[in-house]
């Protein structure tokens, strides 16, 4: 599920990976859902929302079951124009949008079923080009990749969580990343959360990692970056 102002009326709307769009009424309620994308090729595994082509309208990036990653640019008339993300056709499981090379354009991270994450740099017009080598999760039971600045250098890094472990790929600032290093967490962890828990000043920008797990435990990894 994602939030975005898809009809450009200043009110948040809700879109889901089940290809539904519910326009917001502005009072906490929503209109009856309609199809997000007409004639969607397959069911979506995951969707992400953001202004991909810098026109001020919210677009969609969607991973489809066993097939392609699709770019849906908002046509400003209640629909979307479809294209596919080149070289991102290997059973995509999840997608996210973030500015990874700090050029003002949204980039994409595509997680595949083979425990691989690939980075695609956006050109600000709706197109993407793959950047660097694939990043590998530490295990096959991966969760969606996440983005955050973990070492306080102002450059986005990528988290690659899998069962009992999380790998961290530090960003170089140009859309490529160092070889991931891995730390252990509790078995069967869920979404990794990033939050300052050990009393740093907020300006330090060095989040700790919190990993709840399926056994009812929570592992906290204290950020030791100096």
């Amino acid at each position: 599920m994602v939030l975005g102002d898809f009809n450009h009326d200043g009110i948040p709307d809700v879109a889901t990976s089940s290809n539904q769009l519910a326009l917001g009424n502005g009072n906490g309620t929503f209109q009856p859902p309609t199809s997000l994308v007409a004639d969607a090729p397959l069911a979506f595994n995951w969707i992400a929302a953001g202004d991909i082509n810098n026109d001020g309208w919210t677009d969609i990036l969607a991973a489809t079951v066993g097939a392609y990653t699709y770019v849906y640019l908002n046509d400003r008339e209640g629909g979307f124009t479809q294209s596919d993300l080149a070289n991102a056709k290997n059973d995509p499981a999840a997608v996210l949008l973030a500015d990874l090379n700090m050029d003002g354009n949204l980039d994409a991270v595509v997680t595949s079923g083979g425990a691989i994450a690939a980075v695609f740099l956006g050109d600000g017009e709706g197109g993407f080009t793959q950047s660097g080598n694939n990043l590998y999760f530490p295990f096959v039971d991966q969760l969606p990749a996440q983005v955050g600045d973990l070492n306080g250098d102002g450059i986005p890094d990528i988290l690659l969580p899998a069962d009992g472990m999380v790998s961290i790929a530090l960003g170089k600032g140009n859309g490529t990343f160092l070889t991931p290093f891995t730390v252990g967490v509790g078995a069967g962890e869920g979404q990794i959360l990033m939050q300052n828990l050990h009393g740093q000043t907020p300006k330090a920008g060095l989040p700790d990692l919190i990993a709840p797990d399926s056994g009812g435990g929570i592992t906290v990894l204290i950020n030791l970056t100096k």
Side-chain angles (χ1 to χ4, degrees):
M1 180 180 292
V2 294
L3 288 174
D5 181 9
F6 294 101
N7 61 348
H8 208 59
D9 63 353
I11 299 172
D13 311 309
V14 173
T16 75
S17 57
S18 57
N19 194 29
Q20 290 188 314
L21 171 63
L23 297 177
N25 293 319
N27 61 358
T29 66
F30 295 84
Q31 299 176 28
T34 60
S35 294
L36 174 64
V37 178
D39 301 321
L42 288 169
F44 299 144
N45 274 334
W46 204 270
I47 59 173
D51 185 4
I52 293 172
N53 59 348
N54 294 323
D55 65 352
W57 290 68
T58 305
D59 310 304
I60 288 286
L61 188 67
T64 55
V65 177
Y68 299 86
T69 301
Y70 286 104
V71 178
Y72 291 103
L73 297 181
N74 198 315
D75 66 7
R76 309 186 195 186
E77 297 178 352
F80 295 84
T81 301
Q82 175 188 301
S83 62
D84 66 82
L85 201 65
N87 301 321
K89 303 175 181 178
N90 296 321
D91 193 19
V95 292
L96 66 85
L97 290 166
D99 184 3
L100 300 175
N101 60 352
M102 300 182 294
D103 65 351
N105 301 323
L106 286 177
D107 310 307
V109 181
V110 180
T111 303
S112 77
I116 296 172
V119 173
F120 296 83
L121 298 182
D123 62 9
E125 298 178 356
F128 292 86
T129 303
Q130 188 167 359
S131 170
N133 297 324
N134 291 328
L135 302 173
Y136 291 90
F137 285 79
F139 197 62
V140 293
D141 291 334
Q142 81 270 13
L143 295 167
Q146 295 175 249
V147 170
D149 178 14
L150 298 179
N151 59 351
D153 63 356
I155 298 172
D157 310 308
I158 294 181
L159 286 173
L160 304 166
D163 188 13
M165 295 168 280
V166 57
S167 288
I168 298 170
L170 297 177
K172 298 180 182 180
N174 61 356
T176 64
F177 295 80
L178 298 176
T179 300
F181 64 92
T182 300
V183 293
V185 295
E189 81 267 24
Q191 181 182 7
I192 306 295
L193 306 175
M194 289 171 272
Q195 182 69 44
N196 175 13
L197 294 180
H198 70 282
Q200 316 170 63
T201 64
K203 293 182 179 179
L206 299 174
D208 306 307
L209 301 183
I210 304 97
D213 60 61
S214 59
I218 298 175
T219 301
V220 176
L221 302 177
I222 300 298
N223 196 327
L224 300 179
T225 304
K226 302 296 184 182

